Amino acid sequence: YDTTNGLPNNSVRDIVEDKLGNIWIGTASGVVLIKPDGIMSVPDGLDNIDNEHVLAVALYCDTAGRIWLSTSKQGGIYYYSEGRFRHYDVLDYLNDRYGTYTVSAIGQDDLGNLIFGISHNGVVMIKNGVENNPSVFKDIPQCLVNEIYLDRSSNLWFLSDRGVYLLRNGKISKYTSEMGLADNTINHILEDREGNIWFATDHGGVEKLSLGKFNTFQLNVGVNAICEDLGGNVWVGTDDGILCYRNDEI
């Protein structure tokens, strides 16, 4: 798929699958969804509340099946409900706190509470429509959070431009370059079927965290995405193509 057959822009920023098997693609000039039958369409709503040609920053499917979209626009956070995108105005109070805000990441904890990365201002949790941050959130610095990830053990990972922050058992632990991380800017995370945690870094290649120890696969290229196939192979998307980790080597 590209602009010749329906994509609004060839620069794809994020992809997510919803609970109905639809694939949502966020690009530098808008959002489309591809249904299981292969038909591509532009979801309704953005043309009325923002701009159909938004620059997508992040997509997320929550536990209720709603699709969330954050954009590069100030206050540009939307959710898809009842057939159209709607503006999520619960975060508008942040305009008074920061002047302006953008959302860099979207996630949930194990209770379904929404968590948002606020660009260069850490994270906030929304519970029952109001901010309700755990006290340990103060241990996450005012940084750019790139991804919020809930692992199978209900631990929360916050990937940022200042390292990785892990919320486990009510406490925040951090992993930075001073502690063995190859690079402090982390773009993506994967928990493989054996419970190992993989990090895609901006300049340090790929990190594998296993039994508390880092194993670095140094690459001379930025790593933007990482996933595992059904055979247990780990695929790495870089600025210069795709690599595969198989049989303990790339």
Side-chain angles (χ1 to χ4, degrees):
Y1 296 95
D2 57 24
T3 54
T4 65
N5 58 1
L7 277 188
N9 192 292
N10 285 338
S11 177
V12 175
R13 301 308 179 95
D14 206 357
I15 301 174
V16 71
E17 181 180 8
D18 66 21
K19 294 182 179 297
L20 299 177
N22 301 309
I23 303 298
W24 296 73
I25 302 173
T27 79
S29 298
V31 178
V32 295
L33 67 93
I34 302 174
K35 295 182 178 180
D37 59 9
I39 296 177
M40 181 186 295
S41 63
V42 177
D44 291 333
L46 288 177
D47 53 340
N48 295 325
I49 56 177
D50 189 337
N51 186 324
E52 186 174 302
H53 302 291
V54 295
L55 193 162
V57 173
L59 287 165
Y60 177 74
C61 181
D62 68 18
T63 53
R66 295 176 299 182
I67 293 294
W68 292 80
L69 165 70
S70 66
T71 75
S72 61
K73 181 181 178 180
Q74 296 173 355
I77 177 71
Y78 312 97
Y79 65 97
Y80 190 80
S81 177
E82 297 178 350
R84 64 189 305 103
F85 272 112
R86 305 168 190 273
H87 180 241
Y88 185 67
D89 58 10
V90 172
L91 295 180
D92 285 353
Y93 71 93
L94 294 175
N95 287 317
D96 295 329
R97 181 181 300 175
Y98 301 124
T100 61
Y101 76 94
T102 56
V103 173
S104 58
I106 310 162
Q108 288 176 286
D109 66 8
D110 57 341
L111 298 177
N113 298 311
L114 287 162
I115 305 173
F116 299 94
I118 307 303
S119 188
H120 299 290
N121 285 293
V123 293
V124 297
M125 176 183 289
I126 300 298
K127 184 175 182 179
N128 297 324
V130 297
E131 181 177 323
N132 191 345
N133 290 341
S135 59
V136 294
F137 273 18
K138 69 181 186 302
D139 296 326
I140 301 174
Q142 302 296 292
C143 58
L144 175 62
V145 175
N146 296 319
E147 186 173 357
I148 300 167
Y149 181 79
L150 182 68
D151 68 22
R152 292 194 293 268
S153 299
S154 298
N155 303 309
L156 273 170
W157 298 80
F158 302 91
L159 315 184
S160 80
D161 61 348
R162 296 176 64 179
V164 177
Y165 295 83
L166 169 63
L167 175 56
R168 177 169 55 195
N169 298 327
K171 297 181 179 180
I172 292 285
S173 302
K174 69 177 181 179
Y175 299 95
T176 66
S177 58
E178 296 177 350
M179 305 170 65
L181 202 60
D183 182 25
N184 277 338
T185 300
I186 313 299
N187 296 322
H188 197 58
I189 186 173
L190 164 71
E191 182 182 17
D192 67 22
R193 60 185 184 179
E194 296 177 349
N196 302 307
I197 299 295
W198 298 70
F199 301 114
T201 76
D202 210 33
H203 297 100
V206 176
E207 293 271 14
K208 179 182 179 182
L209 180 61
S210 181
L211 301 176
K213 296 182 179 180
F214 286 110
N215 187 12
T216 303
F217 303 93
Q218 188 66 48
L219 302 172
N220 295 319
V221 65
V223 181
N224 305 310
I226 188 167
C227 68
E228 182 182 31
D229 64 24
L230 295 177
N233 303 306
V234 173
W235 295 83
V236 178
T238 78
D239 288 335
D240 192 31
I242 296 176
L243 303 172
C244 181
Y245 177 84
R246 180 187 293 123
N247 299 326
D248 294 328
E249 63 181 13
I250 290 182

